[in-house]
Amino acid sequence: QFSSMFGMQLSTEVYNRKYEDKSTLFKNPLREDKSGSVNAGFTTNIIYGIKANLKATYAMVESNQAVYSYKKHTFTIGLGKTF
């Protein structure tokens, strides 16, 4: 039976959101967020039926209301078993 030793995943998302913020904390009640993320993952067989996977994600939001802006890096490591 053929089974691949390695796998790779790539994805990206981009959003532009506009909405009215009903809070009284900001002068401008119209909030505009520009956000996006990029994901890259790698999977490999380490022992028959057991796979290791690594994933890195970068996410960001730029908002006209600075308190909602951020940049974030996330790294995950996992193991999976197939039956």
Side-chain angles (χ1 to χ4, degrees), residues 2-66:
F2 176 75
S3 177
S4 62
M5 290 292 297
F6 304 101
M8 183 177 220
Q9 309 85 35
L10 297 170
S11 65
T12 187
E13 297 178 347
V14 177
Y15 297 100
N16 188 20
R17 293 187 255 178
K18 295 179 183 180
Y19 48 94
E20 191 173 351
D21 190 347
K22 301 286 186 182
S23 72
T24 59
L25 298 175
F26 304 101
K27 283 192 226 179
N28 183 2
L30 182 62
R31 179 173 154 192
E32 183 175 352
D33 293 349
K34 295 177 183 175
S35 62
S37 66
V38 177
N39 303 295
F42 179 76
T43 303
T44 185
N45 289 332
I46 54 175
I47 300 174
Y48 181 76
I50 297 179
K51 294 183 178 188
N53 50 48
L54 306 170
K55 183 179 177 184
T57 302
Y58 171 75
M60 55 75 69
V61 173
E62 291 180 2
S63 179
N64 64 332
Q65 297 176 358

